[in-house]
Amino acid sequence: MVYEIKGLDKESIIKVSNDFTVLLDRLGYSEVSKSLNYVTRELIHNAVKANMKRVFINENSFIEGENIVEKFRDALAFDSEALAEKLKQSDMFVKIEFIDMKLSGLLLRVQNNADMRPEEIEFVDSVINAKEEKDWEYNLDKEDKGHREGGGIGLRSIMTILKKTGLSGDSLSYSSGNGKTVFELHVKKFI
Amino acid sequence: MEVKVNIEDKGRHTLVSLAGSLDLYMVSSLKKKLNPLVEGNEVSCLILDLENLEYMDSSGIALMAYLRKKMMQKEGSFYLMKTGESVLQVMRLAALDKFFTYINSESEVM
């Protein structure tokens, strides 16, 4: 099953997440389907935000370096409606696929049209490759560089949910380059 | 579903009641409404009534984190009131529930 979402289309995102839940239930993953519904929405939201950032950066290329990321965060925090409208007018989209890998399980693939920036790769690597929960759990009393005011909670939440639902940390992987970023969630068969 | 917000100045504290769904689509507009409360010096105790909040995602949690941080920075207090099980479950799954103070009624902070 393949979906394409343009803009910040809430109804479509909810439909995709619910379709994934139905598929999980049908293929025997009922124990984790509800938790993974939340994970699916978070992954799609992150992909949409990544596209928003790309549109914003393209339109504001006169702002240099780290300042442009800060400006984007301000825009996302206080004027996401305007960002969503610009995204909708662009040619960017998020592509979501569900792939039944039979005995190997089920694969969820979420792709957006933007390369990750170096600091984003560093952050994602630090969370996905963390060995212990304390290394990816979000500490509200300690702010990470580049993730002020609660940014980065989504990915950390995903990792905590994967751990708590019995999926291993390497269930989630990603690749980025050539104008796209792909996150893959591999839901393996429970033995 | 949108998020509905009602703000009441109760003298010693300000009560913000939320209803509906607090997610990526709604956070920005809500943050604009609530920012004056946490940026100024007039509000020293902020209570969010979540009894009618049906759904919250990481963007909503991030907003809670923002409000909490702002109140703590000015040595104020911040409470989540009547937090429903569906919202609490999201916070537990994200291991963020331990960072907030929960109450069942306004009288608990008076």
Side-chain angles (χ1 to χ4, degrees):
Chain A
M1 296 163 81
V2 183
Y3 305 80
E4 273 189 15
I5 293 178
K6 271 197 68 77
L8 188 56
D9 183 348
K10 178 173 182 172
E11 285 182 14
S12 294
I13 292 172
I14 290 175
K15 183 189 181 315
V16 170
S17 303
N18 289 345
D19 283 354
F20 188 53
T21 300
V22 168
L23 186 61
L24 284 168
D25 287 338
R26 203 170 75 218
L27 294 178
Y29 300 94
S30 301
E31 289 177 17
V32 298
S33 62
K34 190 174 177 183
S35 298
L36 292 186
N37 182 295
Y38 180 85
V39 168
T40 306
R41 287 175 72 164
E42 290 288 343
L43 285 172
I44 298 173
H45 285 169
N46 281 351
V48 169
K49 283 190 281 188
N51 280 354
M52 278 180 171
K53 185 187 281 185
R54 174 48 52 193
V55 169
F56 182 87
I57 289 174
N58 287 348
E59 289 201 349
N60 295 279
S61 53
F62 55 90
I63 302 174
E64 293 181 0
E66 285 299 312
N67 286 337
I68 197 163
V69 175
E70 283 294 306
K71 293 289 182 193
F72 169 72
R73 290 201 185 109
D74 286 339
L76 186 64
F78 291 100
D79 201 9
S80 62
E81 295 91 346
L83 285 176
E85 186 56 34
K86 290 202 167 130
L87 179 63
K88 195 173 161 186
Q89 292 168 9
S90 75
D91 56 1
M92 302 187 82
F93 59 91
V94 174
K95 183 177 171 184
I96 303 114
E97 296 176 82
F98 307 150
I99 301 163
D100 183 355
M101 298 166 71
K102 308 298 179 190
L103 292 177
S104 296
L106 189 62
L107 189 72
L108 166 68
R109 181 178 289 150
V110 179
Q111 175 184 320
N112 65 272
N113 308 116
D115 287 358
M116 285 166 64
R117 296 167 67 89
E119 66 272 15
E120 292 169 332
I121 291 174
E122 186 183 339
F123 170 70
V124 171
D125 279 344
S126 72
V127 175
I128 287 184
N129 297 325
K131 296 277 186 279
E132 299 176 22
E133 271 187 59
K134 67 177 180 65
D135 295 323
W136 78 67
E137 281 190 354
Y138 199 96
N139 186 342
L140 290 184
D141 293 324
K142 176 184 158 191
E143 232 170 59
D144 295 318
K145 178 188 172 185
H147 281 82
R148 64 166 196 197
E149 298 168 357
I153 284 179
L155 182 62
R156 287 184 166 102
S157 298
I158 288 171
M159 292 306 293
T160 304
I161 290 168
L162 293 181
K163 175 82 175 175
K164 289 185 177 180
T165 51
L167 293 168
S168 62
D170 61 1
S171 300
L172 186 66
S173 62
Y174 78 99
S175 62
S176 186
N178 297 320
K180 67 179 183 182
T181 295
V182 180
F183 273 83
E184 291 187 340
L185 175 65
H186 186 189
V187 185
K188 293 172 186 165
K189 285 276 188 188
F190 288 100
I191 299 172
Chain B
M1 183 190 297
E2 295 185 353
V3 64
K4 292 181 182 169
V5 55
N6 186 51
I7 302 173
E8 294 177 77
D9 181 354
K10 298 281 193 104
R12 285 182 147 187
H13 67 275
T14 295
L15 180 68
V16 176
S17 302
L18 301 179
S21 185
L22 181 57
D23 50 27
L24 176 61
Y25 320 94
M26 291 289 122
V27 161
S28 171
S29 60
L30 182 59
K31 196 170 188 178
K32 274 190 280 198
K33 281 181 188 162
L34 300 184
N35 207 42
L37 300 178
V38 297
E39 284 283 9
N41 294 321
E42 293 170 2
V43 177
S44 60
C45 178
L46 181 63
I47 300 175
L48 292 192
D49 181 354
L50 305 182
E51 185 176 17
N52 295 310
L53 191 67
E54 295 169 10
Y55 178 83
M56 186 168 72
D57 66 10
S58 64
S59 299
I61 298 176
L63 176 61
M64 302 286 166
Y66 170 81
L67 297 172
R68 172 185 177 272
K69 176 190 161 188
K70 285 290 189 181
M71 292 305 294
M72 286 175 70
Q73 277 178 346
K74 56 177 184 176
E75 297 182 357
S77 46
F78 180 69
Y79 301 93
L80 302 182
M81 186 171 81
K82 297 178 189 171
T83 310
E85 190 52 37
S86 60
V87 170
L88 205 48
Q89 189 181 32
V90 168
M91 297 177 80
R92 282 194 201 113
L93 284 173
L96 292 170
D97 53 309
K98 55 184 180 267
F99 289 101
F100 297 94
T101 304
Y102 304 93
I103 57 175
N104 291 314
S105 70
E106 294 169 71
S107 59
E108 291 182 42
V109 302
M110 290 178 190

